[in-house]
Structure formats: structure tokens, C-alpha cells
Amino acid sequence: MGGGVSGLWLALRALRQGTPTRILSIGPFGGYASTKNQGWLHSGALYALNEAFELALACRRGTAEVQSLCRGAQPSLIAPHVKGAFVPENAQQMEAVKIRLDAAGIPFSVRAMADVRDADLLCSGNPDHDVLVTDDYAIDTQLLIRRLIAEIRRSGGEIVTAGTVDRMRHQRGLWTIDLDCGSVSSETVVLALGAGLPAFLRNHLPSVAGPEYVVTRSRVLAIGCASFNTIVVPLAPGSPTVVPIWHAGEVKGITICIPYDNEVERCYELSEGHPAMTEKTIDYCTDMLPGLRHQLQSKRPEMGMYTCQKLMLEGESGGQESARLHKVDTLTEGLYSLYSGKMSAAPVAAAACLSKLRSDGVILTADYPNVSDDDEYDEPTRISERPAISIVDRREARKGLSKSARRE
Ligand SMILES: Cc1cc2nc3c(=O)[nH]c(=O)nc-3n(C[C@H](O)[C@H](O)[C@H](O)COP(=O)(O)OP(=O)(O)OC[C@H]3O[C@@H](n4cnc5c(N)ncnc54)[C@H](O)[C@@H]3O)c2cc1C
């Protein structure tokens, strides 16, 4: 249950190993984090440099599976030219990062910042500084979701979508989920609800103790400019990450993500939806990425801001990347939860979930060795716009500010 990348990858892997599987999505597929995220298909470099090596490995393996699934798609689901550029603050940090990437087996090259597209546009650093270039990619998250659904259909999976869950109950070894459009039953249910898991358990299964997760929010600024082609990761503390929006075969702009744990007091003091929030977020981003200020002033692109939620292990609010590793939990008889942590790690998280179900005797088939290389797809080519992003005009947003908000 759950129509994001976790549920979809789990369903696909289960079907490919011969386990009859039905996927249930409440609301549209991919309507949550799986399409609101930055669309960064991770090489694992970001996590290796924080010494979260297990997460780095999960991303590396997961990314290879995603690439395999996306092979041959038209338009290309993965931007062919986008690379990662990690910008160290100084030579000492550069050396430390190189050691960690080597330790994680993540390929990289070292280039002058001036030779790397976009890095110098965003970072105010000396263009003679070196930058680490990695195999990180931008992926079209909407088309990825569609491709997963197409594969699930092709593998014989049953797909159910509903508007709401009315009730969920367990009787005589069978879970029954009452929906607004009927009921579905199964001996085993995996809840792959992303950040929606705690609320779902509270509302529908209050007696089930869920995993010790807390919901955390990240702010994402979306800017509609077409000139950025690099994932730029300044390594100064608190820096946002910049990822090109790759959609329907084109770069549509960039997303800039401010993780929940960075400079909390500067970014989170305003409640969600407050008109000054976008302004604050823009100020934060331009302070951290000084080159961006020039870009925004000279080109005046459209921009907007949204919030996206994820789960964090309780007690890990310091932002350790290892707390974002995938997790499979047994909640009660026949009921499991799966959390991927990263879109890039979702295939690996799904494999871990199936391995748990196998060791519990729930499924008896062997795991399939690898994803199929079949590239015969009838891929949808048109999606009007990335729905997760509501673009607002900055000048319009300004007009909406009250005087007190402006002073603030
Ligand atoms: C701001 C941000 C940026 C990120 N950027 C990246 C990135 O660039 N690269 C990367 O690899 N990862 C990234 N991630 C992480 C990634 O987006 C998530 O790990 C991944 O999308 C989680 O997928 P999911 O299927 O578990 O959850 P979701 O995509 O959130 O899907 C959950 C599904 O559960 C269902 N659901 C939720 N609540 C309920 C409920 N109460 N009742 C019924 N159904 C419900 C919905 O159908 C929904 O489709 C980012 C996360 C955030 C927050």
C-alpha cells in the first residue's frame, strides 16, 4: 500500500520473483515525496562524504537498477549531460572528501571550478578552486513513476487506486482495507506510506505501535530557468543543494533544497504558507549561493516554494545521513512497513523488504537476480507540468506581504 517509489519498486520486485502482488494507492501515484523531491539520482557521493557508507552503497546499487529500468525510454528519463559537482571549501576538505569517496568506491574526477558548468555561477569561491565531479544524475520523477506502473502492469500486477481508506482490520489471518470504492483483502500488507506512515497508524490502527519515526520538513525552492545543467553541492555547512529539473526531455529549471536541519531558526520561524516564507527562503539561498543572486536579478525567472516531508529516526534530529537509511519493520501479524529513505535507494529497500518477508516465511520464491533490460516501452511523452511545483511570481508574492511581515 502506497503509490510512491517504495511501494512501486516493492510491487515490481515481488512480481518479478513470482509473488502475486496488488498495489493500492490512495490518491494519485507518486503524489507525495516521490515527485516533489529534487529528482537527484544519487551516486552515493553525498552520503559517502558524510561517512554514511551504507546509505551511499544503497544509493549506488539503487541508482544502477533505476538506470537499468529507464534504459531506452524516449524521452530520456535521465538527463544525459547532467553531472554532480561537489565544491569543497578548501584544499583540506577536498583531501578529506577524496578519501571518503575512494573508501566508498565512488568514481570522481577533479576539475577546476571554471571548467565545470554552473558551479562558478552559484558559488562565490575562487574559480581556480578545484571541484569534484561525480556520476550523479537528474531524473524525471514523474516519468519514472509512470514507467514503474507500466512495468508492474506488464508483470501482471493488480493496481488499485482509491480516494480514501475508511477502515483497516485484521480478522482470521486476513487484513481487510475498506475503501471508498470497495474492499481489498490480503494475508500480508506492507505499508509504504513515506512520511504519511505515522498519521496513517494513528488514524486507522491506533493499537499498532509504529516505528520510532518523526516527520521532518524540507523547503524546496523551484526556479524556472533553463541554463543550469549541473547538480551543485557546495560543501560549506548549511548549504542547500541545487539540482536541475529534468522533465519530458528538457531542463525546466532548478530546485534548491534546504534540508530541515540547516539553520533552522532562519528558515523555519515562519509558519507554512506565510507569504514571507518564499522571501525568507530566497534570501537564505542567495546568502549561501551568492552567484544565484546575480542570476535572479539579471534574469528575473519565475519561482515558487514548497515543503516536502520525510521521516527521520527519532533522536536523530541532528541530521545524520545514516538515519535516512531504508527501514523495514514488522508492525504486527501480517503487517509490515517499508521506508526507503531515498528515491535512489528504493530498489534496494524493496529487496530488503522482500528478504524480510522471505525470512518470515511469508513468501517462498527466490529473489530475481537483476532487472530486465527490455526497452520496448510505450512511454507517455507529454506531461504538461511538474504538478508538485506551484510557480509564483516573486513580485506578486511581495505584494502579498503585510507591512509587519516586511519588517520581519
Ligand atoms: C525535499 C526532499 C527532497 C528529496 N530529494 C531526493 C532526491 O533528490 N533524490 C532521492 O533519491 N531522494 C530524495 N528524497 C527522498 C525521496 O523523495 C523519498 O525517500 C521517496 O520519495 C520516498 O518514497 P515513498 O514511496 O516511501 O514515499 P512517498 O513518495 O511519499 O509516497 C507515499 C505514498 O503513500 C501514500 N500515503 C501517504 N499517506 C497516506 C495515508 N495517510 N493514507 C493512505 N495513503 C497514504 C500515498 O499514496 C503516497 O503516494 C527527498 C525527500 C525530500 C523530502
Side-chain angles (χ1 to χ4, degrees):
M1 181 174 173
V5 285
S6 305
L8 289 164
W9 270 108
L10 179 61
L12 181 56
R13 284 194 82 116
L15 287 159
R16 281 180 169 173
Q17 65 173 31
T19 304
T21 305
R22 173 194 291 144
I23 180 155
L24 167 61
S25 177
I26 308 302
F29 277 96
Y32 291 76
S34 296
T35 49
K36 288 185 180 177
N37 68 39
Q38 283 200 289
W40 178 353
L41 197 52
H42 286 279
S43 68
L46 182 65
Y47 307 114
L49 64 89
N50 287 312
E51 294 188 305
F53 291 118
E54 219 181 325
L55 179 55
L57 183 62
C59 283
R60 222 177 104 193
R61 290 191 174 147
T63 288
E65 284 216 36
V66 174
Q67 284 175 310
S68 183
L69 181 84
C70 295
R71 200 161 291 145
Q74 281 304 326
S76 176
L77 270 62
I78 299 173
H81 54 286
V82 167
K83 287 272 186 188
F86 290 77
V87 187
E89 284 189 282
N90 50 43
Q92 204 182 354
Q93 194 185 30
M94 166 68 101
E95 287 315 304
V97 170
K98 278 160 71 176
I99 290 168
R100 288 172 195 174
L101 295 185
D102 273 337
I106 291 171
F108 62 89
S109 59
V110 177
R111 284 195 233 152
M113 195 193 287
D115 295 341
V116 179
R117 285 202 285 188
D118 309 331
D120 59 329
L121 292 178
L122 296 177
C123 305
S124 60
N126 180 346
D128 294 336
H129 273 181
D130 284 341
V131 169
L132 286 151
V133 177
T134 57
D135 289 336
D136 284 78
Y137 307 96
I139 185 165
D140 188 328
T141 51
Q142 288 182 24
L143 290 187
L144 172 66
I145 297 281
R146 289 196 181 200
R147 194 159 182 101
L148 281 164
I149 294 168
E151 262 304 297
I152 287 170
R153 285 218 169 91
R154 240 163 51 141
S155 307
E158 190 188 336
I159 293 180
V160 180
T161 53
T164 52
V165 172
D166 292 334
R167 198 156 69 117
M168 184 162 172
R169 60 210 142 93
H170 195 227
Q171 275 173 334
R172 289 188 287 277
L174 204 64
W175 283 101
T176 302
I177 306 169
D178 296 329
L179 306 162
D180 53 350
C181 54
S183 294
V184 288
S185 297
S186 181
E187 280 173 28
T188 309
V189 176
V190 179
L191 300 175
L193 304 178
L197 179 67
F200 183 87
L201 293 177
R202 248 191 337 269
N203 293 338
H204 296 288
L205 300 165
S207 61
V208 172
E212 291 168 345
Y213 279 131
V214 285
V215 177
T216 61
R217 294 179 302 170
S218 297
R219 305 245 183 265
V220 182
L221 194 63
I223 302 180
C225 52
S227 60
F228 288 93
N229 291 288
T230 304
I231 297 170
V232 182
V233 191
L235 298 182
S239 271
T241 51
V242 182
V243 181
I245 301 170
W246 178 252
H247 181 53
E250 284 175 40
V251 173
K252 303 273 186 190
I254 51 172
T255 53
I256 305 180
C257 181
I258 306 168
Y260 79 100
D261 48 345
N262 285 347
E263 301 275 330
V264 170
E265 66 284 1
R266 283 178 65 190
C267 296
Y268 289 85
E269 59 196 14
L270 298 172
S271 60
E272 208 150 320
H274 191 290
M277 178 58 84
T278 305
E279 286 298 305
K280 282 251 171 191
T281 308
I282 292 166
D283 289 346
Y284 179 82
C285 290
T286 47
D287 282 357
M288 299 301 297
L289 304 167
L292 188 64
R293 190 174 299 131
H294 172 70
Q295 293 287 315
L296 296 183
Q297 277 160 0
S298 61
K299 298 192 177 143
R300 293 196 170 273
E302 289 183 305
M303 66 177 82
M305 203 211 60
Y306 60 90
T307 315
C308 189
Q309 296 181 325
K310 55 181 141 188
L311 297 183
M312 183 64 61
L313 282 178
E314 199 151 19
E316 297 282 2
S317 55
Q320 288 93 328
E321 293 296 344
S322 52
R324 296 164 204 194
L325 192 62
H326 58 264
K327 207 162 177 286
V328 182
D329 287 287
T330 308
L331 302 180
T332 182
E333 191 195 331
L335 185 67
Y336 295 81
S337 67
L338 164 66
Y339 182 62
S340 285
K342 294 285 148 196
M343 168 185 67
S344 313
V348 173
C353 185
L354 291 177
S355 155
K356 168 88 178 141
L357 297 182
R358 208 171 296 114
S359 72
D360 286 358
V362 173
I363 50 176
L364 304 173
T365 46
D367 198 4
Y368 77 102
N370 214 336
V371 292
S372 94
D373 265 0
D374 195 338
D375 57 9
E376 279 173 39
Y377 279 93
D378 181 20
E379 197 65 54
T381 50
R382 280 182 59 82
I383 296 181
S384 55
E385 226 174 71
R386 189 182 157 98
I389 299 171
S390 60
I391 299 285
V392 296
D393 187 299
R394 191 176 180 187
R395 281 159 295 176
E396 287 302 314
R398 271 214 178 98
K399 276 187 216 157
L401 291 183
S402 66
K403 276 189 183 156
S404 62
R406 277 174 200 266
R407 274 202 301 277
E408 186 186 8

